Amino acid sequence: ALGDADTTIDGNGIETAASTGTTIADNSIQNAGGNGISASDSAVTVANNSIDTVAGHGILLNLVVDAAVADNWVNNTGGDGVNVTATGKVTVESNTIGVNGDAGGTVIDGMGVRVVISGSAPGNSVVVRGNTIGGDVSSTGRIGDDGINVLGTGTISSVEIADNVIEHTNFNSAGDAGIRVANAQSLVVSGNSVSDVGSYGIVVLSSTAITVANNVLDGNEDNGRGTLDGILVGGGGHASVSDNTVGDFAGNGILVGPVLSMSISGNVVD
């Protein structure tokens, strides 16, 4: 298991706490017995770091207000690639997570990206954009659980998940998803490529003003993957599901409801 790997640092690679503003950039971290980077500051930027072979999370930002995580390379973690708990604005952009590792192994043992917004502060938001999570079918990239998971413990004012490439996810447990979002007041999931997932492609729960558009999902059912639905939207306000391409799932291509109203148009389900 990744958590049992030989380590040269018993604790976290880099840890910061209780600062009003922190930038952690351009570091190379390997063989840590804890997390690669761990921060609990009010505003944090984590950029252009290389993190490989850590027993915990690659990047852990815990109880911060605002966070920006960009252009990092994260591989071989015992937990999530990126794990953020915040109350304000979070951006996770252009990171490469769990793309290559030991042959046949799970490169990220938890989720690729996990963001939890605590409470319902006005103007809180999440953007997860342009990340590459997991490897292509010829590589050894593996993600244990959800590729991207965004959750509001109260409500999140706005969430955008766009232009991510997510492959080889959900190797640990049934019911995980390439992308999962819950408790967003305004949500856009667009332009993502999700393939070779263990269960669901995209799952949206208990959200309002939902747009799921222009995504390409391939469950790879022929190889025992894609065992549930391609797109599942349930419990919330208006949902628009349009211009998606969905194929090779053992369940429904698109399943919507119950929601207050819905529009489903221009999709290709094959």
Side-chain angles (χ1 to χ4, degrees), residues 53-199:
T53 311
V54 297
H57 302 304
I59 297 169
L60 173 64
L61 307 182
N62 189 34
L63 299 177
V64 302
V65 179
D66 299 323
V69 181
D71 298 303
N72 300 282
W73 186 88
V74 181
N75 221 29
N76 294 313
T77 68
D80 301 331
V82 174
N83 182 304
V84 181
T85 300
T87 58
K89 300 179 185 298
V90 175
T91 299
V92 181
E93 187 170 17
S94 300
N95 300 282
T96 301
I97 300 169
V99 170
N100 291 299
D102 296 334
T106 302
V107 178
I108 303 297
D109 207 29
M111 300 180 189
V113 173
R114 176 170 172 79
V115 178
V116 177
I117 297 296
S118 181
S120 302
N124 60 15
S125 64
V126 176
V127 175
V128 183
R129 181 172 52 216
N131 301 282
T132 300
I133 300 172
D136 63 30
V137 295
S138 63
S139 81
T140 56
R142 297 286 189 275
I143 307 298
D145 298 312
D146 292 341
I148 295 171
N149 181 299
V150 177
L151 170 67
T153 63
T155 56
I156 312 173
S157 296
S158 67
V159 176
E160 177 188 359
I161 300 178
D163 303 322
N164 301 282
V165 177
I166 303 167
E167 300 177 284
H168 275 146
T169 66
N170 318 139
F171 277 79
N172 287 347
S173 59
D176 291 326
I179 297 171
R180 182 186 301 270
V181 184
N183 300 329
Q185 288 183 331
S186 175
L187 169 64
V188 175
V189 181
S190 68
N192 301 284
S193 173
V194 179
S195 62
D196 196 14
V197 295
S199 298

Side-chain angles (χ1 to χ4, degrees), residues 162-250:
D163 303 322
N164 301 282
V165 177
I166 303 167
E167 300 177 284
H168 275 146
T169 66
N170 318 139
F171 277 79
N172 287 347
S173 59
D176 291 326
I179 297 171
R180 182 186 301 270
V181 184
N183 300 329
Q185 288 183 331
S186 175
L187 169 64
V188 175
V189 181
S190 68
N192 301 284
S193 173
V194 179
S195 62
D196 196 14
V197 295
S199 298
Y200 295 100
I202 295 172
V203 174
V204 176
L205 301 173
S206 302
S207 297
T208 58
I210 302 161
T211 298
V212 180
N214 297 301
N215 301 283
V216 177
L217 298 95
D218 182 354
N220 197 10
E221 180 194 356
D222 292 341
N223 289 336
R225 315 287 288 144
T227 56
L228 295 171
D229 304 320
I231 297 173
L232 169 63
V233 179
H238 177 74
S240 172
V241 181
S242 64
D243 301 311
N244 301 282
T245 300
V246 182
D248 219 3
F249 284 86

